[in-house]
């Protein structure tokens, strides 16, 4: 998930705390792999959500998205996954909608283990993607990896933002600005924000123990996004296709470590 605004102060995590976050992250990675295996035409997004929730709970974790407060206090997020299709960028609500061949499907998952969070997302194509769509998906993933590679002690938040933005630039992809990456720990969304574009401000210096969710969101068209009438789903304003990748990482003396890995 991607915040509009962070909610907590910055905290640097100890090695023991990072290992707890890695347990949450592993469950999130397992969920994404499980859902990828189930992703085929005819399957409903609600079915994917139910198998994700079952896996998270069986692992002794809590689905962090379920009940998460949004812009409408009467409508907390109802699912354990965000499933965003085609021109939907993030925060799509699972339900009775069936997946169809030729769709771009972004899946975002979150879990809590002993109070520590993991948050990650992947974008899949159902069937054989057109070259342009393949490039959108591959570039968004590569942008996330470039952002992670820039997450080394001594760098600043702006170095991550620049690495992500630079991955999109040669292709002319839209870079979503309204939603950003974030710190993560005992809350899903902590300081600092991690924009996917240069802000012109260096931002916080990166230090060992800082844990971040790095999550580029790119489109084949306009960078502008809006929230649909369900108060959650974020969609491109021009109907262009969107992709989203996210991993939670820990910055260590030796460099970035991905926590949301199997
Ligand atoms: Mg997130």
């Amino acid at each position: 998930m991607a915040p509009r605004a962070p909610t907590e102060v910055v905290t640097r995590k100890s090695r023991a705390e990072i290992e707890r976050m890695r347990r949450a992250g592993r469950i999130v990675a397992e969920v994404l792999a499980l859902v990828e295996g189930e992703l085929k035409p005819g399957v409903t997004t609600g079915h994917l959500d139910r198998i994700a929730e079952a896996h998270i709970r069986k692992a002794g974790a809590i689905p962090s998205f379920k009940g998460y407060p949004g812009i409408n206090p009467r409508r907390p997020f109802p699912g354990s996954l965000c499933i965003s299709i085609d021109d939907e960028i993030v925060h799509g609500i699972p339900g009775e909608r069936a997946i169809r061949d030729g769709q771009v499907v972004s899946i975002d998952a979150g879990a809590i283990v002993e109070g520590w969070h993991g948050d990650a997302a992947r974008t899949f194509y159902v069937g054989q993607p057109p070259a342009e769509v393949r490039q959108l998906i591959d570039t968004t993933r590569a942008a996330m990896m470039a952002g992670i590679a820039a997450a080394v002690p001594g760098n600043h938040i702006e170095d991550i933002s620049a690495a992500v933005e630079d991955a999109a630039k040669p292709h002319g992809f839209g870079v979503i600005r309204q939603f950003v990456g974030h710190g993560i720990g005992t809350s899903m969304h902590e300081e600092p924000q991690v924009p996917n574009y240069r802000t012109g401000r260096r931002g916080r210096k990166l230090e060992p123990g800082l844990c971040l969710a790095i999550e580029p969101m790119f489109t084949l068209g306009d960078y502008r996004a809006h929230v649909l009438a369900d108060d959650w789903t974020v969609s491109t304003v021009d109907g262009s296709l969107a992709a989203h990748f996210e991993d939670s990482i820990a910055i260590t003396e030796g460099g970035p470590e991905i926590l949301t890995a199997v």
Side-chain angles (χ1 to χ4, degrees), residues 79-163:
S80 297
L81 297 176
C82 299
I83 304 182
S84 309
I85 297 177
D86 288 340
D87 58 327
E88 298 168 4
I89 307 161
V90 288
H91 305 169
I93 297 175
E96 292 322 301
R97 196 158 50 146
I99 302 285
R100 296 195 313 269
D101 195 50
Q103 285 183 322
V104 178
V105 182
S106 297
I107 312 257
D108 196 342
I112 310 169
V113 172
E114 292 173 8
W116 295 89
H117 284 254
D119 187 9
R122 303 281 180 264
T123 295
F124 306 104
Y125 190 85
V126 185
Q128 283 302 314
E132 190 186 33
V133 179
R134 175 85 273 156
Q135 191 165 65
L136 173 71
I137 293 172
D138 289 349
T139 302
T140 310
R141 185 195 298 108
M144 177 184 72
M145 295 313 296
I148 291 170
V152 294
N155 267 357
H156 292 76
I157 292 292
E158 182 83 331
D159 295 303
I160 299 174
S161 302

Side-chain angles (χ1 to χ4, degrees), residues 152-192:
V152 294
N155 267 357
H156 292 76
I157 292 292
E158 182 83 331
D159 295 303
I160 299 174
S161 302
V164 171
E165 183 180 29
D166 286 348
K169 216 169 247 175
H171 305 285
F173 294 147
V175 177
I176 300 301
R177 304 170 71 94
Q178 197 179 336
F179 292 85
V180 295
H182 50 92
I184 182 165
T186 52
S187 295
M188 181 159 53
H189 296 144
E190 300 184 353
E191 290 272 18

Side-chain angles (χ1 to χ4, degrees), residues 41-71:
V43 152
T44 67
T45 57
H47 171 74
L48 298 176
D49 187 61
R50 284 186 289 276
I51 61 168
E53 180 173 356
H55 184 83
I56 292 168
R57 294 201 189 278
K58 197 177 70 186
I62 297 166
S64 45
F65 296 178
K66 200 157 204 170
Y68 197 79
I71 54 176

